[in-house]
Amino acid sequence: MAGLVYFSSGSGNTARFVARLGLAALRIPTSPKEEMPVPDEPFVLICPTYADGDGRGAVPKQVIRFLNDPARRALLRGVIGAGNRNFGVTYALAGRVIAAKCNVPVLYSFELSGTDTDIDRVTAGLEKFRGMECSTTV
């Protein structure tokens, strides 16, 4: 069964979204001094975007550090991007960057801390995704 790992900054938008999902999740710390979580099962990563106007810095440094570990990266099965639509083409850019670099699908994207519809869609999508994980495991 795929778990959840997420990053949320001081704004707490992504943390609020994950809390509303009501699913167990590991949080990537904001401070580089804190220990990284160690997922022991396949997971979906939820990551907000922090890009400048040109898209630089879209993926938070702590998420890069987390994914730079080959054992953690090997368990990544998909990514959900978050952002603010006010930023146009850089909206949820971190999700697209991670997906391309790690060769996993972007499963969904949501704005700020998400809507009730986003919560329903992600919950249903994760259930379906989990079923696919189980059916393809050899």
Side-chain angles (χ1 to χ4, degrees), residues 85-114:
R85 292 187 195 278
N86 287 342
F87 296 109
V89 296
T90 63
Y91 165 71
L93 178 59
R96 298 190 307 271
V97 169
I98 292 166
K101 290 198 178 270
C102 296
N103 198 30
V104 297
V106 173
L107 301 172
Y108 196 75
S109 61
F110 64 92
E111 186 172 25
L112 302 173
S113 57

Side-chain angles (χ1 to χ4, degrees), residues 3-84:
L4 283 177
V5 175
Y6 71 99
F7 178 80
S8 186
S9 71
S11 73
N13 284 328
T14 306
R16 281 190 291 281
F17 182 84
V18 171
R20 288 172 57 208
L21 289 173
L23 302 170
L26 299 174
R27 184 175 184 164
I28 297 170
T30 55
S31 169
K33 295 177 183 175
E34 293 179 55
E35 271 199 48
M36 285 289 174
V38 181
D40 59 0
E41 63 182 349
F43 66 89
V44 169
L45 176 66
I46 301 177
C47 183
T49 297
Y50 298 99
D52 66 11
D54 295 319
R56 290 183 299 261
V59 180
K61 287 182 181 1
Q62 284 297 91
V63 174
I64 293 168
R65 187 172 147 235
F66 175 81
L67 291 172
N68 276 343
D69 178 271
R72 290 189 290 252
R73 193 173 56 246
L75 293 172
L76 178 63
R77 296 296 185 265
V79 64
I80 296 172
N84 185 327

Side-chain angles (χ1 to χ4, degrees), residues 1-4 23-24 40-43 126 129-131 133-134 137:
M1 184 161 90
L4 283 177
L23 302 170
D40 59 0
E41 63 182 349
F43 66 89
L126 288 172
F129 192 67
R130 285 184 181 119
E133 281 284 311
C134 292
T137 303

